[in-house]
Each structure stands twice: as C-alpha cells, then as structure tokens.
Amino acid sequence: MAVPLEEFITDFHVRLTWIAFFTLWVLWGLVYTIRFILGENNKPTPQADAEAGATTSEKKTWNQGGFVGRLRNAHQVLFENTLLLLSVLVLNTLATGSTRAVMILAWIFFAFTVVHAFTEIGVEHRFVRLAFTLVFYGVTLAIGGLAFAQGF
C-alpha cells in the first residue's frame, strides 16, 4: 500500500533527497552566473559564424575552446543533470516510492555531477564524458525503477 503523499514528503530521507537536488541547482546557477561575469556573450555573432565557416545548424555545444568554452561545457553538464535529477525525483515523489535508497542515489548523482563539471573545466575527452554519462543514466534508471517498484 502506498504511503500518503503528505507523509512521504515529510520523511527525513526525502527531505535530504530534495536538498541534494537544490544544491545541484544552486551550483548550476552559480556557474551560469560566472559565465556571464567572465564576459561570455551567449549569442554568437554572424561574423563569428562566417569566420568559422559554420551554419546555424552546425553550431557545436561542446569543445568551444578556451576557459569560457570549458566553463560553458561545465554549465551544460550541470544544466542537463539538474533536469535529469529533477525528472526522476518528481517521479519518485509523485509515486511515493523509495526514500532512503533514492536519497543515497541522489547524493551519488550530485557528487558525480560535481566531479564531471570540474573535469569538463580541466579535461576535454569523449571517453570521460561517456563514462560519466553511463553513471548518470544508470543512477536515473535506478531511481525511476525504485519509484515504480516501491510506489504507485
């Protein structure tokens, strides 16, 4: 039998789960802000596109070069992982699914995201991204699976 939502959201582990999400959200917002403090213009100029020989459809998100480009990559990691974590935590909360296991997985997800974001600033490598992506995908699948196994 499912736990009532009011009882579920007052659980200590659920609270810590959402604190992990909020902490990730704060970090994402911080990097987002730092990008603009450092002077990133987020809107490519037509002249820059012409010089690079790129059309609008050929613009790349990754490997933009320089520190600001690496910071942009870290921001992309934080942005995408914040949305990934949000989606499975909402699913788990609405399902009144797992509490302690999801809390642990959320903090693991947070820790790997922080490491990955800082790795993006220092190292640009596809295989590193692939390894982190597999971890994130596995953790989000586990949280989603727990939501269905112990909730609804």
Side-chain angles (χ1 to χ4, degrees):
M1 183 172 163
V3 175
L5 184 61
E6 296 80 21
E7 185 180 329
F8 179 81
I9 59 176
T10 59
D11 184 279
F12 176 73
H13 296 106
V14 174
R15 183 175 189 275
L16 289 178
T17 298
W18 283 101
I19 289 172
F21 168 78
F22 183 69
T23 307
L24 181 59
W25 184 87
V26 167
L27 188 58
W28 168 40
L30 177 65
V31 172
Y32 179 80
T33 304
I34 290 172
R35 284 178 46 211
F36 291 100
I37 290 172
L38 293 178
E40 181 188 30
N41 182 2
N42 223 18
K43 295 180 185 175
T45 63
Q47 179 183 5
D49 286 344
E51 290 171 0
T55 64
T56 306
S57 63
E58 294 174 328
K59 292 177 190 170
K60 293 182 179 179
T61 304
W62 298 97
N63 296 323
Q64 298 276 330
F67 179 74
V68 173
R70 291 190 310 268
L71 192 60
R72 186 181 305 117
N73 292 351
H75 169 261
Q76 190 72 25
V77 166
L78 293 167
F79 169 71
E80 291 172 355
N81 284 5
T82 299
L83 293 179
L84 278 171
L85 187 59
L86 175 63
S87 60
V88 291
L89 291 185
V90 167
L91 176 66
N92 186 65
T93 299
L94 293 177
T96 61
S98 179
T99 56
R100 187 169 188 264
V102 169
M103 181 265 302
I104 293 168
L105 289 170
W107 282 104
I108 289 170
F109 189 93
F110 170 80
F112 273 98
T113 298
V114 169
V115 171
H116 186 194
F118 283 110
T119 301
E120 280 297 325
I121 292 173
V123 178
E124 296 184 32
H125 199 280
R126 285 182 10 182
F127 293 122
V128 171
R129 286 187 189 122
L130 175 62
F132 279 112
T133 300
L134 292 173
V135 168
F136 299 135
Y137 185 56
V139 171
T140 54
L141 280 177
I143 293 172
L146 287 168
F148 283 102
Q150 297 183 11
F152 289 120

